[in-house]
PDB file of all heavy atoms in Angstrom:
ATOM      1  N   GLY A   1       0.812  -1.213   0.000  1.00 86.00           N
ATOM      2  CA  GLY A   1       0.000   0.000   0.000  1.00 86.00           C
ATOM      3  C   GLY A   1       0.846   1.264   0.000  1.00 86.00           C
ATOM      4  O   GLY A   1       1.874   1.358  -0.676  1.00 86.00           O
ATOM      5  N   ASP A   2       0.422   2.271   0.782  1.00 89.00           N
ATOM      6  CA  ASP A   2       1.078   3.585   0.794  1.00 89.00           C
ATOM      7  C   ASP A   2       2.498   3.550   1.369  1.00 89.00           C
ATOM      8  O   ASP A   2       3.314   4.410   1.061  1.00 89.00           O
ATOM      9  CB  ASP A   2       0.237   4.581   1.581  1.00 89.00           C
ATOM     10  CG  ASP A   2      -1.085   4.880   0.893  1.00 89.00           C
ATOM     11  OD1 ASP A   2      -1.150   4.691  -0.338  1.00 89.00           O
ATOM     12  OD2 ASP A   2      -2.032   5.293   1.583  1.00 89.00           O
ATOM     13  N   GLU A   3       2.770   2.588   2.210  1.00 91.00           N
ATOM     14  CA  GLU A   3       4.107   2.479   2.804  1.00 91.00           C
ATOM     15  C   GLU A   3       5.163   2.237   1.730  1.00 91.00           C
ATOM     16  O   GLU A   3       6.321   2.620   1.884  1.00 91.00           O
ATOM     17  CB  GLU A   3       4.148   1.332   3.814  1.00 91.00           C
ATOM     18  CG  GLU A   3       3.262   1.535   5.005  1.00 91.00           C
ATOM     19  CD  GLU A   3       3.813   2.544   5.993  1.00 91.00           C
ATOM     20  OE1 GLU A   3       5.021   2.814   5.962  1.00 91.00           O
ATOM     21  OE2 GLU A   3       3.006   3.056   6.782  1.00 91.00           O
ATOM     22  N   SER A   4       4.765   1.615   0.632  1.00 94.00           N
ATOM     23  CA  SER A   4       5.727   1.284  -0.418  1.00 94.00           C
ATOM     24  C   SER A   4       6.304   2.538  -1.074  1.00 94.00           C
ATOM     25  O   SER A   4       7.478   2.559  -1.436  1.00 94.00           O
ATOM     26  CB  SER A   4       5.095   0.380  -1.473  1.00 94.00           C
ATOM     27  OG  SER A   4       4.012   1.038  -2.086  1.00 94.00           O
ATOM     28  N   ILE A   5       5.511   3.582  -1.207  1.00 94.00           N
ATOM     29  CA  ILE A   5       5.999   4.817  -1.831  1.00 94.00           C
ATOM     30  C   ILE A   5       7.082   5.451  -0.967  1.00 94.00           C
ATOM     31  O   ILE A   5       8.143   5.846  -1.466  1.00 94.00           O
ATOM     32  CB  ILE A   5       4.834   5.809  -2.061  1.00 94.00           C
ATOM     33  CG1 ILE A   5       3.823   5.209  -3.030  1.00 94.00           C
ATOM     34  CG2 ILE A   5       5.354   7.145  -2.579  1.00 94.00           C
ATOM     35  CD1 ILE A   5       2.547   5.996  -3.146  1.00 94.00           C
ATOM     36  N   GLN A   6       6.830   5.520   0.322  1.00 95.00           N
ATOM     37  CA  GLN A   6       7.807   6.110   1.243  1.00 95.00           C
ATOM     38  C   GLN A   6       9.113   5.316   1.245  1.00 95.00           C
ATOM     39  O   GLN A   6      10.200   5.892   1.171  1.00 95.00           O
ATOM     40  CB  GLN A   6       7.221   6.166   2.648  1.00 95.00           C
ATOM     41  CG  GLN A   6       8.165   6.738   3.681  1.00 95.00           C
ATOM     42  CD  GLN A   6       7.608   6.628   5.096  1.00 95.00           C
ATOM     43  OE1 GLN A   6       6.582   5.984   5.320  1.00 95.00           O
ATOM     44  NE2 GLN A   6       8.287   7.235   6.034  1.00 95.00           N
ATOM     45  N   LEU A   7       9.010   4.000   1.302  1.00 96.00           N
ATOM     46  CA  LEU A   7      10.215   3.163   1.297  1.00 96.00           C
ATOM     47  C   LEU A   7      10.966   3.274  -0.024  1.00 96.00           C
ATOM     48  O   LEU A   7      12.203   3.350  -0.044  1.00 96.00           O
ATOM     49  CB  LEU A   7       9.851   1.707   1.579  1.00 96.00           C
ATOM     50  CG  LEU A   7       9.517   1.372   3.026  1.00 96.00           C
ATOM     51  CD1 LEU A   7       8.873  -0.003   3.109  1.00 96.00           C
ATOM     52  CD2 LEU A   7      10.764   1.425   3.879  1.00 96.00           C
ATOM     53  N   ALA A   8      10.234   3.298  -1.142  1.00 96.00           N
ATOM     54  CA  ALA A   8      10.870   3.408  -2.449  1.00 96.00           C
ATOM     55  C   ALA A   8      11.592   4.742  -2.596  1.00 96.00           C
ATOM     56  O   ALA A   8      12.699   4.800  -3.136  1.00 96.00           O
ATOM     57  CB  ALA A   8       9.833   3.238  -3.559  1.00 96.00           C
ATOM     58  N   GLU A   9      10.985   5.822  -2.105  1.00 96.00           N
ATOM     59  CA  GLU A   9      11.650   7.132  -2.159  1.00 96.00           C
ATOM     60  C   GLU A   9      12.910   7.144  -1.317  1.00 96.00           C
ATOM     61  O   GLU A   9      13.940   7.677  -1.732  1.00 96.00           O
ATOM     62  CB  GLU A   9      10.683   8.227  -1.697  1.00 96.00           C
ATOM     63  CG  GLU A   9       9.597   8.524  -2.698  1.00 96.00           C
ATOM     64  CD  GLU A   9       8.554   9.500  -2.172  1.00 96.00           C
ATOM     65  OE1 GLU A   9       8.528   9.770  -0.950  1.00 96.00           O
ATOM     66  OE2 GLU A   9       7.772   9.993  -3.000  1.00 96.00           O
ATOM     67  N   GLN A  10      12.842   6.551  -0.125  1.00 97.00           N
ATOM     68  CA  GLN A  10      14.020   6.490   0.747  1.00 97.00           C
ATOM     69  C   GLN A  10      15.146   5.703   0.076  1.00 97.00           C
ATOM     70  O   GLN A  10      16.296   6.127   0.068  1.00 97.00           O
ATOM     71  CB  GLN A  10      13.656   5.843   2.085  1.00 97.00           C
ATOM     72  CG  GLN A  10      14.837   5.647   3.011  1.00 97.00           C
ATOM     73  CD  GLN A  10      14.464   4.897   4.274  1.00 97.00           C
ATOM     74  OE1 GLN A  10      13.284   4.699   4.579  1.00 97.00           O
ATOM     75  NE2 GLN A  10      15.464   4.464   5.012  1.00 97.00           N
ATOM     76  N   LEU A  11      14.796   4.569  -0.517  1.00 97.00           N
ATOM     77  CA  LEU A  11      15.810   3.736  -1.151  1.00 97.00           C
ATOM     78  C   LEU A  11      16.344   4.369  -2.435  1.00 97.00           C
ATOM     79  O   LEU A  11      17.509   4.187  -2.774  1.00 97.00           O
ATOM     80  CB  LEU A  11      15.242   2.344  -1.430  1.00 97.00           C
ATOM     81  CG  LEU A  11      14.962   1.503  -0.178  1.00 97.00           C
ATOM     82  CD1 LEU A  11      14.125   0.290  -0.529  1.00 97.00           C
ATOM     83  CD2 LEU A  11      16.247   1.099   0.500  1.00 97.00           C
ATOM     84  N   SER A  12      15.526   5.127  -3.150  1.00 97.00           N
ATOM     85  CA  SER A  12      15.985   5.748  -4.400  1.00 97.00           C
ATOM     86  C   SER A  12      17.015   6.847  -4.145  1.00 97.00           C
ATOM     87  O   SER A  12      17.764   7.211  -5.046  1.00 97.00           O
ATOM     88  CB  SER A  12      14.803   6.307  -5.179  1.00 97.00           C
ATOM     89  OG  SER A  12      14.268   7.433  -4.527  1.00 97.00           O
ATOM     90  N   LEU A  13      17.061   7.375  -2.932  1.00 97.00           N
ATOM     91  CA  LEU A  13      18.028   8.414  -2.576  1.00 97.00           C
ATOM     92  C   LEU A  13      19.276   7.852  -1.907  1.00 97.00           C
ATOM     93  O   LEU A  13      20.114   8.614  -1.427  1.00 97.00           O
ATOM     94  CB  LEU A  13      17.362   9.436  -1.639  1.00 97.00           C
ATOM     95  CG  LEU A  13      16.158  10.176  -2.228  1.00 97.00           C
ATOM     96  CD1 LEU A  13      15.500  11.037  -1.162  1.00 97.00           C
ATOM     97  CD2 LEU A  13      16.576  11.002  -3.426  1.00 97.00           C
ATOM     98  N   ASP A  14      19.400   6.546  -1.884  1.00 97.00           N
ATOM     99  CA  ASP A  14      20.524   5.893  -1.212  1.00 97.00           C
ATOM    100  C   ASP A  14      21.836   6.224  -1.912  1.00 97.00           C
ATOM    101  O   ASP A  14      21.883   6.424  -3.125  1.00 97.00           O
ATOM    102  CB  ASP A  14      20.318   4.375  -1.202  1.00 97.00           C
ATOM    103  CG  ASP A  14      21.157   3.694  -0.158  1.00 97.00           C
ATOM    104  OD1 ASP A  14      22.323   3.382  -0.445  1.00 97.00           O
ATOM    105  OD2 ASP A  14      20.629   3.490   0.948  1.00 97.00           O
ATOM    106  N   HIS A  15      22.925   6.296  -1.144  1.00 97.00           N
ATOM    107  CA  HIS A  15      24.230   6.604  -1.724  1.00 97.00           C
ATOM    108  C   HIS A  15      24.858   5.416  -2.449  1.00 97.00           C
ATOM    109  O   HIS A  15      25.761   5.594  -3.257  1.00 97.00           O
ATOM    110  CB  HIS A  15      25.190   7.144  -0.655  1.00 97.00           C
ATOM    111  CG  HIS A  15      25.500   6.147   0.429  1.00 97.00           C
ATOM    112  ND1 HIS A  15      24.687   5.981   1.529  1.00 97.00           N
ATOM    113  CD2 HIS A  15      26.513   5.276   0.556  1.00 97.00           C
ATOM    114  CE1 HIS A  15      25.210   5.043   2.295  1.00 97.00           C
ATOM    115  NE2 HIS A  15      26.312   4.591   1.739  1.00 97.00           N
ATOM    116  N   ALA A  16      24.376   4.207  -2.187  1.00 97.00           N
ATOM    117  CA  ALA A  16      24.864   3.027  -2.909  1.00 97.00           C
ATOM    118  C   ALA A  16      24.068   2.893  -4.205  1.00 97.00           C
ATOM    119  O   ALA A  16      22.836   2.816  -4.185  1.00 97.00           O
ATOM    120  CB  ALA A  16      24.714   1.777  -2.054  1.00 97.00           C
ATOM    121  N   ALA A  17      24.769   2.872  -5.318  1.00 97.00           N
ATOM    122  CA  ALA A  17      24.115   2.860  -6.633  1.00 97.00           C
ATOM    123  C   ALA A  17      23.145   1.687  -6.833  1.00 97.00           C
ATOM    124  O   ALA A  17      22.044   1.892  -7.341  1.00 97.00           O
ATOM    125  CB  ALA A  17      25.162   2.886  -7.739  1.00 97.00           C
ATOM    126  N   PRO A  18      23.507   0.454  -6.470  1.00 97.00           N
ATOM    127  CA  PRO A  18      22.559  -0.649  -6.677  1.00 97.00           C
ATOM    128  C   PRO A  18      21.264  -0.483  -5.877  1.00 97.00           C
ATOM    129  O   PRO A  18      20.188  -0.833  -6.355  1.00 97.00           O
ATOM    130  CB  PRO A  18      23.322  -1.894  -6.212  1.00 97.00           C
ATOM    131  CG  PRO A  18      24.754  -1.520  -6.306  1.00 97.00           C
ATOM    132  CD  PRO A  18      24.808  -0.045  -6.011  1.00 97.00           C
ATOM    133  N   VAL A  19      21.379   0.058  -4.680  1.00 97.00           N
ATOM    134  CA  VAL A  19      20.194   0.282  -3.848  1.00 97.00           C
ATOM    135  C   VAL A  19      19.331   1.378  -4.453  1.00 97.00           C
ATOM    136  O   VAL A  19      18.106   1.237  -4.566  1.00 97.00           O
ATOM    137  CB  VAL A  19      20.607   0.640  -2.399  1.00 97.00           C
ATOM    138  CG1 VAL A  19      19.377   0.922  -1.548  1.00 97.00           C
ATOM    139  CG2 VAL A  19      21.447  -0.462  -1.788  1.00 97.00           C
ATOM    140  N   ALA A  20      19.974   2.475  -4.861  1.00 98.00           N
ATOM    141  CA  ALA A  20      19.240   3.592  -5.466  1.00 98.00           C
ATOM    142  C   ALA A  20      18.547   3.157  -6.756  1.00 98.00           C
ATOM    143  O   ALA A  20      17.412   3.556  -7.024  1.00 98.00           O
ATOM    144  CB  ALA A  20      20.190   4.753  -5.728  1.00 98.00           C
ATOM    145  N   GLU A  21      19.220   2.324  -7.534  1.00 97.00           N
ATOM    146  CA  GLU A  21      18.618   1.827  -8.781  1.00 97.00           C
ATOM    147  C   GLU A  21      17.357   1.015  -8.494  1.00 97.00           C
ATOM    148  O   GLU A  21      16.336   1.166  -9.164  1.00 97.00           O
ATOM    149  CB  GLU A  21      19.622   0.963  -9.537  1.00 97.00           C
ATOM    150  CG  GLU A  21      19.057   0.339 -10.783  1.00 97.00           C
ATOM    151  CD  GLU A  21      19.937  -0.771 -11.326  1.00 97.00           C
ATOM    152  OE1 GLU A  21      21.081  -0.909 -10.895  1.00 97.00           O
ATOM    153  OE2 GLU A  21      19.427  -1.515 -12.179  1.00 97.00           O
ATOM    154  N   ARG A  22      17.401   0.157  -7.490  1.00 97.00           N
ATOM    155  CA  ARG A  22      16.232  -0.652  -7.122  1.00 97.00           C
ATOM    156  C   ARG A  22      15.112   0.244  -6.609  1.00 97.00           C
ATOM    157  O   ARG A  22      13.944   0.011  -6.893  1.00 97.00           O
ATOM    158  CB  ARG A  22      16.594  -1.685  -6.051  1.00 97.00           C
ATOM    159  CG  ARG A  22      17.661  -2.661  -6.470  1.00 97.00           C
ATOM    160  CD  ARG A  22      17.153  -3.807  -7.315  1.00 97.00           C
ATOM    161  NE  ARG A  22      16.807  -3.369  -8.653  1.00 97.00           N
ATOM    162  CZ  ARG A  22      16.079  -4.034  -9.529  1.00 97.00           C
ATOM    163  NH1 ARG A  22      15.598  -5.201  -9.232  1.00 97.00           N
ATOM    164  NH2 ARG A  22      15.813  -3.574 -10.717  1.00 97.00           N
ATOM    165  N   GLY A  23      15.460   1.270  -5.829  1.00 97.00           N
ATOM    166  CA  GLY A  23      14.453   2.197  -5.333  1.00 97.00           C
ATOM    167  C   GLY A  23      13.783   2.962  -6.464  1.00 97.00           C
ATOM    168  O   GLY A  23      12.560   3.147  -6.472  1.00 97.00           O
ATOM    169  N   LYS A  24      14.569   3.406  -7.436  1.00 96.00           N
ATOM    170  CA  LYS A  24      14.021   4.125  -8.591  1.00 96.00           C
ATOM    171  C   LYS A  24      13.141   3.198  -9.432  1.00 96.00           C
ATOM    172  O   LYS A  24      12.094   3.608  -9.946  1.00 96.00           O
ATOM    173  CB  LYS A  24      15.142   4.712  -9.438  1.00 96.00           C
ATOM    174  CG  LYS A  24      15.848   5.857  -8.739  1.00 96.00           C
ATOM    175  CD  LYS A  24      17.068   6.313  -9.511  1.00 96.00           C
ATOM    176  CE  LYS A  24      17.825   7.351  -8.713  1.00 96.00           C
ATOM    177  NZ  LYS A  24      19.109   7.704  -9.309  1.00 96.00           N
TER     178      LYS A  24
END
């Protein structure tokens, strides 16, 4: 649900490229 958007945004801003890519 709505929690997924918040988690995805947090992960998309990660300093590790593979994590940020998965978040995006």
Side-chain angles (χ1 to χ4, degrees):
D2 293 336
E3 296 285 340
S4 61
I5 297 171
Q6 179 187 8
L7 284 167
E9 288 174 347
Q10 176 185 348
L11 291 167
S12 70
L13 299 174
D14 199 274
H15 63 275
V19 178
E21 176 194 347
R22 300 279 72 196
K24 290 173 186 172

